[in-house]
Amino acid sequence: MRRSGPADPRPARPPGSTPRASARAVALEILRRVETDRAYPDLLLDRLPGRAGLEVRDRALATELVYGALRWQRLLDWHLARVSHRPLAELTSWVRALLRLSAYQLAFLDRIPPWAVVDEAVELAKGRRSPGAAAFVNGVLRALAPRPRPWPEPTPTPLEDPIEALALRTSHPTWLVRRWVARYGAAEAEALARALNARPPLTLRVNPLRATSDAVAGALRAQGASPVPSRYAPEGLVVTDAGDPRALEPLRAGWCAVQDEAAMLVGHVVDPQPGETVADVCAAPGTKTTHLAQLMANRGRILATDRHPGRVARLRAACLLMGATIVEPHERGVEALAREVGAVCDRVLVDAPCSNLGVLRRNPDGKWRRQEGDLAGLAAVQGAILDAAATLVRPGGVLVYATCSLEPEENEAVVAAFRARCPAFAPDPIPEAVPAACRAAPEMLRMVPHRHGSDGFTALRLRRQA
């Protein structure tokens, strides 16, 4: 449970001096906006630290505080509630956010002294000029600060719901843990939940259109990073000691791209060949699209669609950076593209919009944003996209449906319903390039975080009968 997070980058502050804008202030603002505006933390982390003038180490600390507080939000609230004389729900959103990010540091980060956590939280509260807030924050955090680390996890009494207790100690919604327990059993559900609370590694996909694996690894080492080959994907590198990834020259030059190993394997499930016509119908921001171009040795044609102009702009930029010249970006839905070109594609990838419940280690706000009832609505959208995408597949061609979700309603059920509507599509075995350990069935890729050390991903491969 204990983590060694970034050290406190603050120099010692002279007595009486005014505190400067800090990583904690930026983290506080992001956490507040995630809760009140339903903003996305990754987008805010791209913008606010730069505007605040944070240096690299401060950016790293702000990122750690935001994602750590979101990952452990439910458990942190449980601890806070036991020392607060006021219910957390009655607090203003910024006080609640301040207590969460401070409690996260006290409970999980070794390299930040408790006095520094309390001191900075009180200073931030004073800056808000809210009567009594600083004293309240000080009292709550001083009650938590002396606790020996690690803090004890809550254990259920015989009369309590064990699933509720599991969800609390792993800091997940009960509805989600209940589904996992029913599917995997309690022990494996807990392992999955804990894996989704872990910090994900930095994984890079080497781009052979620009450089070799040896060249990328050498350039990374020259900047002090430590790359090693990934476990399952042949073009993957897992990188430690990288610092701010945005400063890595191989990334800036398009020699590689940030992509999880599970997402890389989706490209191998599609298995596009040089000279073929391929469609990627939910293509932006283009990470999988450029991988398909790599696998095709940049020969052939890739029709890449997305409805949103801003996202298509990111797709174009990614193709330019990675040298993927065979990609034809389209600002339209898959239905419009299918009406225009017809069944011309050898292979079609549907990387469908989904709940993102398989990538909670990268987007921890998702578990507080999603509700169980969302799955049915998402399945309807996914089925409609799959229906339209199928009309692009030529007889004998391949259709791959993928999501970053492990939930059956978004995967097996969507494909089963599609096959009932379109019986011309039959399950097709995944190519041998995909390791057997990553297949849940001959036609299904399933990457599970606690088993594979990757994001959670599902991909099913179908072939249209000739």
Side-chain angles (χ1 to χ4, degrees):
M1 188 172 173
R2 297 286 299 131
R3 312 278 179 87
S4 293
D8 187 350
R10 301 177 314 167
R13 178 161 54 84
S17 65
T18 301
R20 61 179 171 80
S22 70
R24 293 176 180 83
V26 172
L28 171 60
E29 177 62 12
I30 292 174
L31 288 173
R32 185 194 66 78
R33 291 179 60 178
V34 169
E35 181 177 89
T36 59
D37 304 338
R38 294 180 65 80
Y40 290 95
D42 55 336
L43 299 180
L44 294 177
L45 282 165
D46 280 344
R47 298 198 304 264
L48 295 189
R51 291 181 187 172
L54 296 187
E55 297 176 352
V56 171
R57 288 190 304 170
D58 295 297
R59 287 173 179 267
L61 179 59
T63 301
E64 174 66 32
L65 297 181
V66 168
Y67 284 129
L70 288 170
R71 286 186 184 112
W72 293 99
Q73 178 174 302
R74 183 175 180 183
L75 184 60
L76 294 173
D77 284 0
W78 184 85
H79 284 291
L80 287 165
R82 270 145 185 79
V83 296
S84 172
H85 66 273
R86 296 175 59 190
L88 297 187
E90 295 181 2
L91 304 177
T92 61
S93 60
W94 72 265
V95 170
R96 197 162 42 244
L98 179 56
L99 290 176
R100 285 170 176 162
L101 75 87
S102 302
Y104 173 67
Q105 296 167 78
L106 293 172
F108 288 93
L109 300 186
D110 287 323
R111 300 173 65 185
I112 302 177
W115 67 264
V117 174
V118 178
D119 178 68
E120 180 88 12
V122 171
E123 292 298 332
L124 287 171
K126 289 179 180 176
R128 293 279 173 160
R129 301 181 184 279
S130 178
F136 173 73
V137 167
N138 185 50
V140 171
L141 295 181
R142 283 189 179 279
L144 293 174
R147 289 186 174 191
R149 298 168 173 172
W151 289 359
E153 291 186 350
T155 54
T157 66
L159 296 179
E160 288 179 317
D161 180 354
I163 293 178
E164 183 84 15
L166 195 162
L168 172 59
R169 67 175 177 268
T170 62
S171 194
H172 280 76
T174 300
W175 70 264
L176 188 55
V177 171
R178 194 176 300 281
R179 292 171 63 87
W180 291 343
V181 169
R183 201 180 318 149
Y184 302 114
E188 194 163 356
E190 180 156 1
L192 172 59
R194 292 192 184 280
L196 287 169
N197 277 346
R199 295 190 194 104
L202 174 61
T203 309
L204 304 180
R205 188 194 81 227
V206 173
N207 175 20
L209 302 180
R210 295 288 197 206
T212 65
S213 291
D214 288 345
V216 174
L220 291 169
R221 291 191 188 98
Q223 287 192 261
S226 303
V228 296
S230 61
R231 185 176 176 185
Y232 299 110
E235 60 274 78
L237 293 173
V238 179
V239 184
T240 54
D241 306 319
D244 186 352
R246 290 171 297 185
L248 294 175
E249 284 303 324
L251 273 173
R252 296 160 66 96
W255 289 13
C256 54
V258 176
Q259 188 175 36
D260 188 80
E261 195 173 11
M264 292 182 216
L265 289 179
V266 172
H268 291 285
V269 174
V270 178
D271 191 30
Q273 300 299 308
E276 289 185 336
T277 297
V278 176
D280 184 356
V281 302
C282 301
T287 312
K288 292 188 182 69
T289 312
T290 53
H291 190 205
L292 297 177
Q294 288 178 209
L295 296 173
M296 297 168 70
N298 219 14
R299 289 188 281 126
R301 182 187 188 199
I302 298 178
L303 308 172
T305 68
D306 198 283
R307 293 179 183 274
H308 306 288
R311 289 172 56 82
V312 174
R314 294 178 63 190
L315 167 66
R316 293 182 195 277
C319 293
L320 182 64
L321 178 65
M322 305 293 285
T325 58
I326 64 171
V327 178
E328 300 174 19
H330 295 268
E331 291 180 9
R332 69 185 77 172
V334 59
E335 301 87 353
L337 178 67
R339 284 194 298 271
E340 178 181 322
V341 303
V344 299
C345 295
D346 300 285
R347 298 162 202 266
V348 174
L349 170 61
V350 179
D351 184 21
C354 70
S355 65
N356 296 317
L357 291 172
V359 291
L360 293 179
R361 60 182 191 163
R362 299 184 189 278
N363 307 110
D365 54 307
K367 58 187 172 185
W368 313 122
R369 195 183 298 274
R370 288 293 178 197
Q371 301 295 324
E372 190 168 18
D374 295 342
L375 298 180
L378 287 166
V381 173
Q382 291 154 353
I385 295 173
L386 191 54
D387 286 350
T391 64
L392 288 164
V393 183
R394 67 163 175 77
V398 168
L399 176 62
V400 172
Y401 172 80
T403 72
C404 52
S405 169
L406 302 172
E407 303 310 305
E409 292 94 327
E410 299 187 87
N411 294 297
E412 295 96 319
V414 169
V415 171
F418 165 73
R419 289 198 58 221
R421 297 189 298 271
C422 302
F425 285 84
D428 193 56
I430 289 174
E432 292 297 321
V434 177
C438 305
R439 302 179 209 170
E443 75 281 6
M444 183 192 296
L445 168 80
R446 174 147 284 162
M447 300 292 283
V448 187
H450 64 288
R451 298 175 190 164
H452 299 103
S454 67
D455 287 344
F457 242 94
T458 305
L460 293 109
R461 179 176 160 118
L462 303 166
R463 187 178 291 276
R464 182 178 175 182
Q465 304 305 296

